[in-house]
Structures are given as structure tokens and as C-alpha cells.
Amino acid sequence: MRVYANPVGRGSLWFDNLATATGTPVAYDPQARAFITMPPFCANRDVIGCNWIAPEQGGFCRSCAMTALAPDPSIPNAMPHWAKTEAAKRWVIDNLGRWNWFRPEDPGAPPVFHLLAEGPTPVAMGHVGGVVTISVAEADPVLRTARREALEEPYRTMIGHMRHEVSHMLWWRLSLRDDFLDAFRAMFGDEREDYAEALQRHYRQGPPAGWRSSFVSTYASAHPHEDWAETAAHLLHLTDIADSFVAAGLSSADLPHHGWDPYMEADAERLIHVATHLVMGVNHINRSMGLLDLYPFVLSEVSRRKLAFMHDWLRRGAQGL
């Protein structure tokens, strides 16, 4: 994620800022990729702290307009959890916009989000036909950590959930192309395998022996759809880690050149090489504070080929160039 210029003075702005250090209200314009001071601001600004602009007074920003179902405010903590979930959604939508997904120039359908609070029954997160369902309850770090431990996952965040579920939606979009499915099946397998049965087998038996040689995570081994979504999420993780590293003004001998833009990088192997070397360094820094690794994964050669395949398709952008 980039670091942004302050439109009214010195200093920088971060993606989630609602105001400058001196208190001037600002909002993010995702089309210009810049902060501005002039309204109209998103109608959810005072409701959940959305900091994007709106197309008209009283309207919703591009990201909030994608939310068709919002959580029931009568459920305890639904509103603060919704605010954190929408913040994660804005981050991921803006990342994908760097490859022209879900922007005005995108000729395809944008995702529709159902962001639901949990009552006595947990919310099943997933994607069906362009609709992404997310449990806002997982914005609670205690609940999220408990589920991460129960499922033996090394990484679980709201941005991670968004990247994974939106990646299912991207598969759906790409599957409408004549040239995609055969290439996908050659790399990931046949997604027509019974999905429910595959997940039941995964939760009953666990991942296959030697899964690390072919998959980025245990869940990726459950079904070709999950292999796609997990791999796509990892490509988005690595690209944004590298982009944020550069935007923060950090330097490394692994960077190809000054001003390198990971989202503009055409060579997938170079992007993956740089990003993985950067995260090894940051992992080392985290360990000095007794924190978990930023990126607790090891990528096999097969996984790297899948990431390169993903990079080719997603970087083409929504117009499929």
C-alpha cells in the first residue's frame, strides 16, 4: 500500500486516515489514488469511519456501495466489527484496483458483499455467483485467534479473509472467458470435483502427505477452488508487502531498482523472489520482539509456478489484456 501526500501541508497520510495531523478532514479518492479535502464524503463516514469520497452528497463510496447486506446493529459489537471489516475491504479493493479490477474501466460485475454479524450461530464465509459473505465477528482478535488455533492456521486476518473470498469471485469472473478454464484445470486440477465432499474429506482426514510440495497451505489442498483462492490471496499478500516496503521508504539490495513498482512488475518470478526475501528479513525483525512471523509460509517450486500463473491472469486486469 502506498503512503500518500498531505494535500494541505507537510507530512504524509496513511490509507486509513480521516484527517491530517493538524485536524483537516480528508478523504481518499480511489480513482485518483490521492487524498482530497473537498466533500462529498461517503455516507458511512460518521457511521463506521469510512474515509473514501462519494459520487454525490449522501451517497456511498465505491467500496461501501458493494455492501448489499450490513450487520444487524442490535447484535453486540456489530458496529465496531463492521467498521474494521469495511476497512479491510477498502484495502483489498484498492490493491486490486492497481490491476484495474473493480474500477470504472472494469467492464465486468463488481463483487457484492454480505457482511454479517454472528448471533448464536456462526456465519459461514464464502462466495457464490459474485456474492461474498464475510463474518464481521472475526474482527474480534480474541475470536479470530481462537479459530486460527482451532483450525491450526498460521495466519488469519480480516484482510486475509477478504483476499481469499474475493479471489473466489475473481475466479468466477475469469471463468466466463473462453481461454481460462482449460489453463486453470491444467495448473490446479478439475474444479468440477464435488466440493462439499472434498471439504468433508479435508476436515476428516487433514491434508495429504507431502502437501507442502504442492500447496501454499493445508486448506489449499482441499479442492482446486481453495487452491486457487489461497494462491491468489498469497500473491496479493506478497505483492502488497513488497509495495508497502517500497512505499515506506525502506531499502534492500533485493529491490530491482529505485522506484520499483511491484504492481507494474511483469516478471512474476522476480516479484516472488523479491517479496519472499523481504519477508524473511521482516520475519527476523518480528522474532526480535517475540512476535509471530509476518509471513509464516514456505513456497515450494510448484507453489511458485501457481503464483506465476495467478500473476499472469490477475495482472492482465479486468479487461483481460
Side-chain angles (χ1 to χ4, degrees):
M1 180 61 70
R2 293 176 172 176
V3 178
Y4 297 89
N6 182 348
V8 293
R10 299 171 61 184
S12 300
L13 290 174
W14 306 93
F15 186 69
D16 292 328
N17 282 157
L18 285 158
T20 67
T22 56
T24 301
V26 293
Y28 181 68
D29 180 347
Q31 192 64 20
R33 298 191 178 111
F35 277 87
I36 62 175
T37 59
M38 298 296 293
F41 297 152
C42 180
N44 275 338
R45 187 179 180 93
D46 295 331
V47 180
I48 54 171
C50 178
N51 71 333
W52 280 24
I53 64 166
E56 58 189 9
Q57 193 67 37
F60 293 111
C61 72
R62 184 187 300 166
S63 177
C64 286
M66 297 177 186
T67 299
L69 288 180
D72 181 350
S74 69
I75 295 177
N77 296 314
M79 296 303 285
H81 290 166
W82 180 29
K84 292 178 181 178
T85 303
E86 288 282 3
K89 172 155 71 77
R90 291 193 297 274
W91 189 289
V92 173
I93 293 297
D94 196 66
N95 283 166
L96 285 165
R98 300 280 290 276
W99 287 327
N100 297 321
W101 290 98
F102 314 139
R103 287 167 60 88
E105 59 267 31
D106 179 353
V112 174
F113 288 89
H114 292 178
L115 305 182
L116 307 178
E118 295 188 8
T121 305
V123 170
M125 292 196 269
H127 164 266
V128 177
V131 178
V132 173
T133 301
I134 297 287
S135 168
V136 304
E138 290 232 2
D140 180 342
V142 176
L143 175 65
R144 191 170 63 249
T145 299
R147 290 180 179 175
R148 187 186 70 215
E149 294 297 322
L151 295 170
E152 298 182 349
E153 295 179 346
Y155 169 80
R156 193 178 180 97
T157 69
M158 294 310 291
I159 284 180
H161 283 315
M162 283 290 175
R163 285 176 175 154
H164 177 98
E165 299 304 343
V166 170
S167 292
H168 281 302
M169 190 270 179
L170 293 172
W171 183 92
W172 174 73
R173 282 276 306 269
L174 289 167
S175 73
L176 303 177
R177 294 173 54 109
D178 295 334
D179 56 349
F180 174 72
L181 283 176
D182 286 344
F184 166 80
R185 289 167 184 162
M187 178 63 68
F188 290 91
D190 193 336
E191 84 289 350
R192 292 168 293 189
E193 173 192 358
D194 188 284
Y195 181 76
E197 181 180 321
L199 286 193
Q200 289 175 6
R201 181 176 63 249
H202 172 74
Y203 287 120
R204 184 175 61 250
Q205 301 177 2
W211 65 267
R212 288 180 176 83
S213 65
S214 300
F215 302 98
V216 295
S217 68
T218 58
Y219 193 48
S221 71
H223 187 274
H225 273 313
E226 298 308 336
D227 194 7
W228 164 274
E230 286 285 272
T231 304
H234 276 253
L235 176 67
L236 296 174
H237 297 336
L238 292 168
T239 306
D240 197 37
I241 286 169
D243 188 59
S244 299
F245 185 96
V246 173
L250 301 176
S251 62
S252 168
D254 293 303
L255 296 180
H257 55 78
H258 178 73
W260 177 65
D261 184 345
Y263 285 96
M264 294 297 292
E265 177 58 65
D267 186 337
E269 292 185 6
R270 174 184 284 182
L271 172 64
I272 295 164
H273 172 82
V274 172
T276 52
H277 277 72
L278 295 180
V279 296
M280 283 193 293
V282 179
N283 284 349
H284 185 60
I285 294 169
N286 276 18
R287 292 167 191 167
S288 73
M289 292 295 290
L291 299 175
L292 297 175
D293 285 356
L294 175 74
Y295 186 77
F297 304 95
V298 177
L299 300 176
S300 68
E301 286 303 313
V302 173
S303 292
R304 287 171 181 259
R305 288 198 296 272
K306 290 178 180 178
L307 285 165
F309 176 93
M310 193 71 60
H311 182 260
D312 175 47
W313 282 96
L314 295 191
R315 188 178 173 274
R316 295 184 197 187
Q319 296 170 321
L321 299 177

